[in-house]
Amino acid sequence: MVWTFIRWGVSLIVVAAVVLTFTGKKTFHVEITIPAPPEAVWAVLTDAEGYAQWNPVFVNVEGEFKPGSTVRTTVKEPGKPDVVLSSEITKFVPAKELNQYGGIPGFITFDHLWRLEPVEGGTRAVLDEVDRGFYAWFWSSDWVEPSYREMSEALRDRVVALQGE
């Protein structure tokens, strides 16, 4: 009787963990218009060495932005130690889309997508990210979207500054 109770308890815990893993999801969305052509924005987004000069969130990037490559990104979360994440470039369409995917499947993954769209007066830069996994239920992500907004503004400022040189 006790073993049956223990087996049922363990089974319920396993089912709960599986449900939490597959239903944990957080999404982030930021848009900004940059007064420059998509090619100029793309040049800054794909310059890994340049991130340290302008990006307040991804303060260091190692690797090369090209299809199938892996990049290591140092992420600055306010009030916490920096974290280094690895991601694979899963989509690379010059001057249009840059998609990075990484994390630990089941625990937490991120799907980080930049889309560049030509608009009157420049480029609409759209940043979408979907984080999934068990940890998404417990992770305090309130800082992410405001930080991504700050990052987008810094991208705009960097592109504008380079256009003026």
Side-chain angles (χ1 to χ4, degrees), residues 29-40:
H29 176 86
V30 175
E31 292 184 24
I32 193 166
T33 300
I34 300 172
E39 294 77 16

Side-chain angles (χ1 to χ4, degrees), residues 65-82:
F65 288 101
K66 64 181 183 179
S69 70
T70 298
V71 295
R72 290 175 45 85
T73 304
T74 303
V75 180
K76 179 172 279 312
E77 178 179 346
K80 297 213 175 158
D82 293 351

Side-chain angles (χ1 to χ4, degrees), residues 29-33 115 117 124-128 149 152:
H29 176 86
V30 175
E31 292 184 24
I32 193 166
T33 300
R115 285 180 291 126
E117 304 166 0
R124 179 184 7 236
V126 178
L127 173 55
D128 285 310
R149 189 168 296 109
S152 295

Side-chain angles (χ1 to χ4, degrees), residues 30 32 34 114 127 148-156:
V30 175
I32 193 166
I34 300 172
W114 279 103
L127 173 55
Y148 281 1
R149 189 168 296 109
E150 182 183 352
M151 178 172 63
S152 295
E153 291 167 356
L155 171 63
R156 178 199 59 213

Side-chain angles (χ1 to χ4, degrees), residues 2 18 59-60 95 106 123 135 158 164:
V2 171
V18 169
V59 295
N60 187 51
T123 301
Y135 189 60
R158 177 71 173 163

